[in-house]
Amino acid sequence: MNLFEMSQIPMKAAIKAMKLDPSAAAIIENPERTLEVSIPVKMDDGTVKVFIGYRSQHSTVMGPAKGGVRYHPNVCLDEVKTLAMWMTTKCAIAGLPYGGGKGGIIVDPAKLSRGELERLTRGWIDKVAPIIGEKKDIPAPDMNTNAQIMGWMMDEYSKITGQFEPGFITGKAICVGGSLGRTAATGRGVMTAAMEALKVKKINPKKATCAVQGFGNVGSWTAKLIHDQGVTIVAISDVYGAIYSDKGIDPYELAKHVAKTGSVTKFKGTKAISNEELLEAKVDLLCPCAMEGQITGANAAKLNAKVICEGANGPTTPDADAILDKKGIFVVPDILANGGGVTVSYFEWVQNLYRYFWTEEEVIDKQVALMRKAFKEVYDASKEYKVDMRVGAYISAIGRINEAMKIRGMYDPK
Ligand code: NAD
C-alpha cells in the first residue's frame, strides 16, 4: 500500500463517522492544484540537466497552503499530493489559519555541487513563483532541505517580486527572519502530546519508561524533552542500531556521543539490541521518530507499549492500527503529535508579517498551549464518535475545514 492509499483509510473512516456531506467529501478528497515543472540547470561541467519538480496545494480553504519542499530521488506526484493533504489536516488540527501544501524535486542533492544545488533551488522558485507567496502558499524545509536552501529561495523570490519577502517561506536562519524555538519544536510537540496521553492513561511520568526510535532532529529532541519530564528513557535507536539500559539513558550525553562517533551505538552503560527489540520493548511510551512504515501488521501484535506517540510521518500502517486498537494501545497519531514543527513555522510567519520577534520562552509557551488544546479536541472527538485517536484527528480537522467551506459557499449543505 502506498502513502496515498494509506492516508485514505482513516480519512474515509472519519468522513463516514461524521456523516460528512458527499459534496464536502468530494472537495476534501482532491487537491485544489498541483503543478509539475521542469527545471533546466547549468551543471558545473557546462551541460544542462533538466530536473522535475512539484508543488501541490491540497487546500487553501482555511488560509494559504503551508508545507515543506523535499529533495529526494524517489519523490513522486502521489507522494507530494498525499503529504500536502496531511499538511491540511495537521494545520487544521492545530487550529492554524492555513491549508496544506507540499513540494519536491526529484534529485539526490548529495550528488550536486553547492553551486548546482543553488541554481536548482532558484530554478524551482522561478517555476512555482506564480502560485506561491505569503498569502498564497508558504514553503518550508523538509527531507534534505535546510535553512541555507530556504535562504536561497527567499532571495530568489524577493528578486522576482522586487521586495523583501521573509513571510513567503519558513525555516529560515534567524538573521533573515527565522524564529527562535524552531529546532526543538517538533520534538517539543511530541513530548507535549505524549505527556497528555500519559495523563489520559493515568501513568505518572516520573515512574514511566520510554523507547525512542530515531535520534535525528525529531527523535533527539523528543528524547531530551521527555527525559526532562522525569521519564526514564530505556531504549534509543538510529539507522545503525539500537541501545538499551533499564537504568536509563541520558539523551543529552548521548547527543555528545553521536556528535563524536556518528551513531547511538556503543554508548557507555548500554547494551546493543535490535530495532525489533526496541519496538517490542515493555515500556509505557514508544515514540517512533525515524521514518514511515515501522509498525505494521507483521509486528504490531508483538508491541508492549501502553502509549505510542508518533513523531515520524506515517510510522504505523492501517492494518497495524487495527491490531493496536484491539490490544488497547493508545496511539497519538502523527498528524497531531508532530504538528509542533508547523506550529512554530506559523509563529515564524506571524513574526515576519509584523516584523516583531518573540523570545524563545514566548514561542514555547504559545506552542505548548496550542498543542494541549489540539490534543483535547482530538481526544474529545475520538470519545464523541467512538473512534481511535487517528480517526478522531481527521474528524477534528475535517470538521473545521467543513465549517469554512460552508460559510465560503463552496457547496450547499443539505
Ligand atoms: P532526521 O534525518 O534528522 O533523523 C532521522 C533519524 O532516524 C536518524 O537518527 C536516523 O539514523 C534514524 N533512522 C532512519 N532509519 C531508521 C531505522 N530504520 N531504524 C531506526 N532509526 C532509523 O529526520 P527528522 O527530521 O528527525 O524526521 C524524522 C521523521 O519525522 C520523518 O518521518 C519526518 O518526515 C518526520 N517529521 C519531521 C519534522 C521536522 O521538523 N524535522 C516535522 C514533522 C515530521
Side-chain angles (χ1 to χ4, degrees):
M1 199 183 282
N2 65 29
L3 269 188
F4 182 72
E5 290 162 338
M6 252 174 67
S7 69
Q8 290 298 304
I9 291 175
M11 176 129 155
K12 283 192 191 303
I15 287 171
K16 191 172 162 203
M18 64 200 295
K19 298 189 178 65
L20 188 71
D21 189 298
S23 305
I27 298 172
I28 283 177
E29 280 171 356
N30 291 287
E32 279 178 21
R33 178 192 277 148
T34 300
L35 183 63
E36 178 178 323
V37 297
S38 59
I39 312 158
V41 176
K42 279 188 190 159
M43 306 302 280
D44 291 348
D45 65 6
T47 61
V48 167
K49 198 168 168 192
V50 176
F51 294 85
I52 300 299
Y54 305 103
R55 185 71 187 171
S56 178
Q57 296 167 346
H58 172 261
S59 173
T60 55
V61 173
M62 309 273 293
K66 180 88 192 83
V69 188
R70 59 175 53 178
Y71 288 5
H72 197 276
N74 299 335
V75 167
C76 66
L77 200 56
D78 256 1
E79 180 184 66
V80 169
K81 279 156 87 173
T82 307
L83 293 168
M85 187 275 284
W86 271 343
M87 286 307 298
T88 301
T89 50
K90 221 178 261 191
C91 293
I93 289 164
L96 310 180
Y98 284 147
K102 204 77 175 189
I105 301 178
I106 305 175
V107 61
D108 180 354
K111 295 197 173 136
L112 299 189
S113 69
R114 186 180 160 90
E116 289 166 343
L117 190 62
E118 179 177 349
R119 293 193 288 280
L120 174 65
T121 298
R122 290 182 184 275
W124 184 82
I125 286 291
D126 296 342
K127 288 289 168 78
V128 302
I131 64 162
I132 56 177
E134 70 177 21
K135 291 184 186 147
K136 292 199 262 184
D137 180 354
I138 304 142
D142 195 83
M143 208 181 271
N144 295 327
T145 54
N146 53 27
Q148 175 59 78
I149 291 176
M150 298 306 107
W152 289 328
M153 287 188 176
M154 194 196 87
D155 185 70
E156 188 67 15
Y157 190 69
S158 299
K159 281 182 188 159
I160 291 169
T161 63
Q163 56 191 19
F164 187 57
E165 291 275 5
F168 112 93
I169 198 156
T170 62
K172 303 180 294 295
I174 301 287
C175 59
V176 284
S179 178
L180 294 170
R182 176 63 185 90
T183 313
T186 305
R188 188 175 306 283
V190 179
M191 176 277 286
T192 307
M195 290 308 115
E196 294 303 300
L198 291 185
K199 243 185 252 165
V200 168
K201 299 298 281 182
K202 300 192 169 43
I203 298 170
N204 178 355
K206 306 260 180 310
K207 293 185 180 154
T209 53
C210 171
V212 181
Q213 186 194 40
F215 201 67
N217 173 279
V218 180
S220 64
W221 280 106
T222 296
K224 286 174 193 167
L225 297 168
I226 285 179
H227 165 87
D228 291 349
Q229 297 297 314
V231 175
T232 306
I233 311 280
V234 292
I236 298 184
S237 68
D238 64 14
V239 70
Y240 305 106
I243 53 172
Y244 182 90
S245 165
D246 52 13
K247 291 197 181 62
I249 300 166
D250 181 337
Y252 292 93
E253 289 303 316
L254 181 61
K256 289 182 201 160
H257 171 82
V258 172
K260 256 191 246 154
T261 68
S263 155
V264 302
T265 58
K266 300 191 178 128
F267 181 56
K268 64 176 184 310
T270 66
K271 65 171 183 181
I273 57 168
S274 66
N275 187 42
E276 290 73 36
E277 286 172 308
L278 176 135
L279 292 173
E280 293 163 18
K282 203 163 181 305
V283 286
D284 295 293
L285 177 61
L286 170 65
C287 299
C289 298
M291 57 187 295
E292 68 280 354
Q294 293 301 294
I295 302 171
T296 66
N299 65 4
K302 297 183 208 153
L303 264 53
N304 289 298
K306 293 181 185 136
V307 171
I308 296 175
C309 191
E310 298 180 341
N313 281 320
T316 309
T317 59
D319 51 344
D321 260 336
I323 299 168
L324 299 177
D325 197 39
K326 260 198 211 122
K327 281 173 72 90
I329 298 178
F330 187 88
V331 178
V332 188
D334 47 6
I335 50 176
L336 168 63
N338 71 25
V342 70
T343 300
V344 175
S345 284
Y346 160 61
F347 295 154
E348 178 177 337
W349 178 73
V350 170
Q351 293 169 81
N352 290 158
L353 293 189
Y354 70 36
R355 305 282 196 267
Y356 180 75
F357 289 87
W358 306 337
T359 63
E360 186 164 9
E361 210 180 4
E362 283 175 282
V363 172
I364 291 171
D365 286 352
K366 286 178 171 59
Q367 182 196 343
V368 169
L370 272 189
M371 295 285 310
R372 285 191 182 140
K373 184 168 171 281
F375 183 96
K376 184 175 182 317
E377 283 166 359
V378 169
Y379 182 66
D380 290 350
S382 78
K383 288 282 149 212
E384 184 184 341
Y385 289 91
K386 299 186 175 47
V387 292
D388 64 23
M389 286 285 282
R390 194 179 313 281
V391 178
Y394 276 91
I395 290 175
S396 169
I398 294 171
R400 259 196 191 121
I401 299 163
N402 187 37
E403 285 310 304
M405 288 199 301
K406 274 196 268 185
I407 208 84
R408 289 182 64 161
M410 294 174 72
Y411 74 96
D412 294 325
K414 298 222 169 62

